[in-house]
Structures are given as C-alpha cells and as structure tokens.
C-alpha cells in the first residue's frame, strides 16, 4: 500500500511544470548572449587595413 501511494504521488508530481521550461529559456539566453559577447569582443580584431 505504501509503494502504491508513493508511486501515485510521484506520478502527480511529474504532471506539474518544474524547472524544465525555465532552464531551457535560461540556456537559450545564455548561449545567444555568449555568441553576441564573442562577436562583440572579436569584431575589433579584424583586418581594418594598415595605413603605413
């Protein structure tokens, strides 16, 4: 009887939204922000032509 109620409680808890969507949004924002930061920092290292 105890195992059945524990199993039912676990099934009920799995139906509730958890950190999945929040974590997914955080990861997407972090990746996009990292790409933007890399572009911003590396754009100044391109060859702009030397005026020697």
């Amino acid at each position: 009887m105890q195992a059945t109620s524990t199993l039912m409680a676990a099934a009920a808890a799995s139906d509730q939204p958890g950190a999945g969507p929040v974590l997914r949004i955080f990861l997407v924002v972090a990746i996009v922000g990292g790409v933007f930061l890399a572009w911003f920092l590396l754009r100044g290292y391109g060859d702009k032509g030397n005026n020697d």
Side-chain angles (χ1 to χ4, degrees), residues 31-51:
I31 291 170
V32 171
V35 169
F36 179 73
L37 180 63
W39 171 79
F40 183 75
L41 292 175
L42 294 174
R43 70 186 176 115
Y45 291 110
D47 186 18
K48 294 183 180 181
N50 293 333
N51 295 329

Side-chain angles (χ1 to χ4, degrees), residues 2-49:
Q2 178 67 20
T4 305
S5 62
T6 304
L7 191 58
M8 292 178 102
S14 67
D15 290 339
Q16 297 174 356
V22 175
L23 184 61
R24 195 172 299 137
I25 291 169
F26 175 78
L27 287 175
V28 169
V29 169
I31 291 170
V32 171
V35 169
F36 179 73
L37 180 63
W39 171 79
F40 183 75
L41 292 175
L42 294 174
R43 70 186 176 115
Y45 291 110
D47 186 18
K48 294 183 180 181

